[in-house]
Amino acid sequence: MTRQYKVAVVGATGAVGQQMVECLEERQFPVSELRLLASERSLGKYLSFKGREIPVDVLTRDSFQGIDLALFSAGGSVSKEFAPIAAAAGAVVIDNSSAWRMDPEVPLVVPEVNPQDIALYKNKGIIANPNCSTIQMVVVLKPLHDAARIKRVVVSTYQAVSGTGQKAVEELADQVRALFNNQELPRKVYPHRIAFNCFPHIDVFLENGYTKEEMKMVNETRKIMGDDSIRVTATTVRVPIFYGHSESVNIETERKLTPAEARAILSQAPGVKVVDDPAHNRYPMPLEAAGQDLTLVGRIREDFSIDHGLNLWIVADNIRKGAATNAVQIAEILIRDYLR
Ligand code: NAP
Ligand code: 3JM
């Protein structure tokens, strides 16, 4: 019989945590026990898994006894404090927050790009899951980098509110409802109204004028691609979309890559689907990307303002491939190659 694993999900009641539980079930991950953990606010809640209702427990230092794998998505401060506690109890942690991503001892993994780095989990017992916007971008850029060496990336994102969490999904819905009913708009999560608006502000502003989200894309891309020479600049924008991040990506390569070559390479790339038929109004859209696990790419065309440039439009489900699915894919490789 194949081995079964005791799995904990920290932040199980959140947007990402609930999707993790669904992914474990959908992908038939071999789970012998599922421990759902969240804050005191969730006491008395249940989540369903494989037709059973499982109670949510309050996260404590003792939550990880006997656990083989702990999937974290409860924010950076919870991960900072509890990931080492889980690892010390013998679990391998797959962390969705930004807390450990840039730690040189912690691997930062997208399975289609750098699965070999999972071996480094032995350093601290922690594997970091990249930021949602980084994941979908590198899934597409890696095969192009292998073919033509990317020198520079200029990206602007159009990010869904689900990336902020469950409360932001409710805020957009409540604001739209209030607008149509001539009521005062509720505003708790964002500094501005998000309904029928957008703002270039995700995570906090840093001293260099960039947001932390933008710098995540810069630093994480280089770490995952294993190439510090790639220059990246990003502008990250919140848009009134529920699920699915979109990205306008411009790349400059060392060797010339025609749009036809890029399309051919990407049509063979793992985890990628080329949707690029403008004559029939076919290009990636969040409504199409949401609810599935592929990263969609289209509008592949030459940037004729430079010698070796391409423009791309990349869309994926930020909660699935951008967070939960990527974490469960890492777990699948971990149990297949390391924890058997
Ligand atoms: P969310 O919907 O707000 O959910 C937050 C979850 O964390 C809830 O289950 C909440 O439990 C739990 N939590 C909060 N504080 C806690 C505490 N002190 N102790 C125990 N549990 C606590 O947020 P989300 O969208 O799921 O995101 C959660 C985290 O995942 C983010 O903060 C981020 O670090 C990470 N994330 C990563 C990506 C990515 O790109 N890879 C994308 C989105 C999010 P209660 O329900 O009990 O409050
Ligand atoms: C996505 O610690 C927090 O407040 C969480 C902030 C957060 C992050 C993060 O920095 O971990 C919210 C949404 C992310 C992320 O994936 O980087």
Side-chain angles (χ1 to χ4, degrees), residues 149-189:
R149 297 215 72 76
I150 294 172
K151 296 200 304 195
R152 179 167 184 250
V153 181
V154 182
V155 53
S156 295
T157 68
Y158 305 65
Q159 297 185 218
V161 294
S162 52
T164 312
Q166 206 55 53
K167 285 200 170 65
V169 172
E170 287 156 25
E171 179 149 306
L172 174 57
D174 290 346
Q175 288 184 354
V176 171
R177 218 173 289 121
L179 275 168
F180 283 118
N181 287 299
N182 267 328
Q183 290 165 344
E184 204 184 319
L185 262 63
R187 230 185 60 202
K188 295 185 196 126
V189 178

Side-chain angles (χ1 to χ4, degrees), residues 59-108:
L59 172 67
T60 69
R61 299 179 66 89
D62 302 322
S63 294
F64 301 97
Q65 296 312 317
I67 291 292
D68 301 305
L69 271 170
L71 307 180
F72 273 68
S73 67
S77 54
V78 171
S79 293
K80 268 234 153 63
E81 182 179 353
F82 285 93
I85 293 171
V92 179
V93 172
I94 301 175
D95 181 38
N96 251 288
S97 81
S98 56
W100 299 95
R101 289 180 191 149
M102 296 314 297
D103 183 321
E105 290 195 78
V106 172
L108 180 64

Side-chain angles (χ1 to χ4, degrees), residues 28-303:
Q28 300 182 19
F29 194 87
V31 177
S32 58
E33 181 191 329
L34 185 63
R35 208 169 288 173
L36 303 176
L37 301 163
S39 77
E40 301 84 15
R41 293 180 289 274
S42 294
L43 256 183
K45 283 192 188 163
Y46 288 76
L47 294 181
S48 87
F49 179 68
K50 293 188 179 169
R52 289 178 41 221
E53 293 299 305
I54 303 190
V56 179
D57 292 332
V58 177
L59 172 67
T60 69
R61 299 179 66 89
D62 302 322
S63 294
F64 301 97
Q65 296 312 317
I67 291 292
D68 301 305
L69 271 170
L71 307 180
F72 273 68
S73 67
S77 54
V78 171
S79 293
K80 268 234 153 63
E81 182 179 353
F82 285 93
I85 293 171
V92 179
V93 172
I94 301 175
D95 181 38
N96 251 288
S97 81
S98 56
W100 299 95
R101 289 180 191 149
M102 296 314 297
D103 183 321
E105 290 195 78
V106 172
L108 180 64
V109 177
V110 177
E112 292 87 344
V113 178
N114 60 337
Q116 71 285 354
D117 288 350
I118 291 174
L120 302 172
Y121 83 90
K122 288 175 183 149
N123 290 343
K124 282 193 170 161
I126 304 173
I127 302 170
N129 206 56
N131 179 261
C132 38
S133 296
T134 310
I135 292 176
Q136 66 182 66
M137 186 167 81
V138 297
V139 164
V140 172
L141 294 192
K142 179 63 163 60
L144 301 179
H145 187 53
D146 289 344
R149 297 215 72 76
I150 294 172
K151 296 200 304 195
R152 179 167 184 250
V153 181
V154 182
V155 53
S156 295
T157 68
Y158 305 65
Q159 297 185 218
V161 294
S162 52
T164 312
Q166 206 55 53
K167 285 200 170 65
V169 172
E170 287 156 25
E171 179 149 306
L172 174 57
D174 290 346
Q175 288 184 354
V176 171
R177 218 173 289 121
L179 275 168
F180 283 118
N181 287 299
N182 267 328
Q183 290 165 344
E184 204 184 319
L185 262 63
R187 230 185 60 202
K188 295 185 196 126
V189 178
Y190 294 122
H192 308 284
R193 169 178 141 186
I194 183 63
F196 306 105
N197 193 19
C198 67
F199 33 84
H201 176 182
I202 300 185
D203 210 332
V204 296
F205 281 101
L206 304 172
E207 270 182 11
N208 66 0
Y210 284 73
T211 63
K212 198 173 154 199
E213 187 85 348
E214 289 160 352
M215 293 312 295
K216 287 174 197 169
M217 292 192 79
V218 173
N219 297 321
E220 294 176 18
T221 298
R222 293 177 172 162
K223 178 166 173 174
I224 299 161
M225 305 262 277
D227 188 344
D228 276 343
S229 72
I230 303 175
R231 284 171 290 165
V232 183
T233 186
T235 303
T236 56
V237 181
R238 187 72 66 194
V239 297
I241 298 268
F242 286 108
Y243 295 95
H245 288 358
S246 304
E247 298 177 342
S248 164
V249 180
N250 173 270
I251 59 171
E252 184 178 357
T253 54
E254 218 164 86
R255 192 175 78 69
K256 186 171 172 63
L257 204 54
T258 66
E261 278 177 292
R263 244 175 249 119
I265 290 165
L266 291 171
S267 63
Q268 303 292 318
V272 175
K273 182 179 173 192
V274 177
V275 181
D276 199 14
D277 184 9
H280 296 97
N281 301 336
R282 297 279 295 129
Y283 29 74
M285 296 184 291
L287 281 181
E288 200 180 345
Q292 53 86 60
D293 290 322
L294 294 170
T295 298
L296 313 183
V297 58
R299 300 297 318 280
I300 302 168
R301 64 204 192 278
E302 187 169 347
D303 168 7

